[in-house]
Amino acid sequence: MSMHERSRIAVVGATGYTGAELLRLLLGHPAVTVTALCARDKLTSRASAVLPALTGLLELPIEPFDPDAVAARADVAAHGDGVHAVLASTR
């Protein structure tokens, strides 16, 4: 990845407090593109349906965690056990 490319980030646990705060920080970062949102519950076709602060900022679906799907869409997965699952699936 060159210095000018944006990192593709997946947030696992996106509907929890930590995940929502992480999204808030990532959406303001100039070198990041959020490409996937995963959670165990509150699955929806639009993230803003359960995280209203994202309205107009990010309209990705919140999907169940699938390490292979996340690894295909993101360079990094952030949040707890999800990081380990993605790293394991890419080895």
Side-chain angles (χ1 to χ4, degrees):
M1 182 178 317
S2 77
M3 282 181 37
H4 301 290
E5 288 184 57
R6 294 170 65 111
S7 296
R8 300 174 309 145
I9 309 292
V11 177
V12 179
T15 58
Y17 176 79
T18 303
E21 277 299 298
L22 179 59
L23 278 169
R24 183 183 66 78
L25 294 170
L26 291 172
L27 289 174
H29 196 290
V32 165
T33 300
V34 176
T35 58
L37 303 175
C38 302
R40 279 183 260 189
D41 54 14
K42 300 180 185 173
L43 306 177
T44 180
S45 62
R46 285 183 13 264
S48 61
V50 293
L51 299 167
L54 296 181
T55 301
L57 299 174
L58 184 69
E59 292 299 337
L60 291 174
I62 298 175
E63 304 169 302
F65 179 66
D66 174 341
D68 293 325
V70 169
R73 295 189 340 226
D75 303 312
V76 175
H79 195 293
D81 291 335
V83 173
H84 304 294
V86 170
L87 292 176
S89 73
T90 61
R91 291 187 182 141

